[in-house]
Amino acid sequence: MGRWTMLEQSRMSVRQWRTAHVVLFYLLLISLLGACQPETPAPRLLVDGSVAPDFQALAQESWADFLAAFPARAGCFGDVHLRAVPDLPSRAAYDPGTATVAVRVPGTPAFLRSGLVHEWAHHLEHQCPEHAQLRPVFLAAQGFPPDADWFSGESWAATPSEQFAEAAVVLVLGRRAVATKVFLTQEGVEAVRTWAEGQP
């Protein structure tokens, strides 16, 4: 092998070495930039002074369970406020204008948890644009026509939105501890579960 050929091979190996290091540098840079991207903070439950410490503890635990049940959707809705109202006409209510859930107190833990999760489901459906993907699937699973109005029905119990909220109660808590007239199908609950977990 001549000296010229050896010199050319040496130059090529140096060029290859430099190229490999440049590629490695850019791959490392891309990796670091990806790691530095800020994560979307989880939505928070914000309680006011009306909420007693024992109710607050129960609510925060239930909120953690709610977020865990909707792992693929926790980034599409924001914080929610919580108030305790002794003379509330219903067990709980949600105000989409202020993102506030009001719950009638006192109540049993099962009553309070059920009311909280039901209203948080309304918070999710009002704030999460991705909820539109679930609606036609849930309507079909519950036996509604595809053009059914999501927020109205022949009665409260026959309203798709309320059926979705009760399906969320089953998903988060495992069962409905508070009896309602809302009819749920297993397919409806599974449709919510599938969407909550981000499955295709």
Side-chain angles (χ1 to χ4, degrees):
M1 181 182 294
R3 293 174 60 189
W4 179 257
T5 305
M6 292 176 63
L7 183 60
E8 282 299 305
Q9 286 183 343
S10 175
R11 286 177 178 167
M12 286 182 66
S13 64
V14 169
R15 275 198 297 270
Q16 291 170 343
W17 181 85
R18 287 180 179 164
T19 301
H21 277 75
V22 169
V23 169
L24 184 61
F25 170 77
Y26 279 110
L27 288 174
L28 181 62
L29 182 62
I30 290 168
S31 175
L32 288 172
L33 288 174
C36 292
Q37 292 296 323
E39 292 185 13
T40 304
R44 299 168 298 164
L45 176 64
L46 307 174
V47 300
D48 70 12
S50 67
V51 180
D54 57 344
F55 182 26
Q56 179 174 344
L58 180 143
Q60 292 291 359
E61 180 183 332
S62 302
W63 181 245
D65 292 341
F66 183 82
L67 294 181
F70 289 88
R73 308 303 171 183
C76 72
F77 60 96
D79 300 342
V80 64
H81 300 266
L82 175 61
R83 292 175 52 228
V85 182
D87 58 351
L88 195 68
S90 58
R91 64 174 171 156
Y94 175 68
D95 177 9
T98 61
T100 299
V101 169
V103 178
R104 187 171 67 216
V105 293
T108 65
F111 178 92
L112 296 172
R113 284 183 190 275
S114 180
L116 286 168
V117 172
H118 182 103
E119 301 308 327
W120 291 336
H122 289 318
H123 174 67
L124 186 157
E125 73 183 346
H126 277 88
Q127 289 208 352
C128 182
E130 298 163 12
H131 194 262
Q133 302 165 2
L134 168 64
R135 294 182 185 182
V137 179
F138 185 78
L139 289 172
Q142 286 292 109
F144 287 102
D147 60 347
D149 189 325
W150 185 260
F151 291 106
S152 66
E154 295 179 1
S155 65
W156 177 85
T159 301
S161 171
E162 301 302 338
Q163 294 187 4
F164 161 71
E166 285 296 287
V169 170
V170 175
L171 178 62
V172 176
L173 303 180
R175 65 187 183 92
R176 288 191 283 175
V178 178
T180 71
K181 294 182 178 180
V182 170
F183 170 73
L184 281 181
T185 66
Q186 186 60 38
E187 292 81 6
V189 175
E190 287 305 312
V192 176
R193 185 190 309 278
T194 299
W195 178 80
E197 296 175 353
Q199 298 179 33

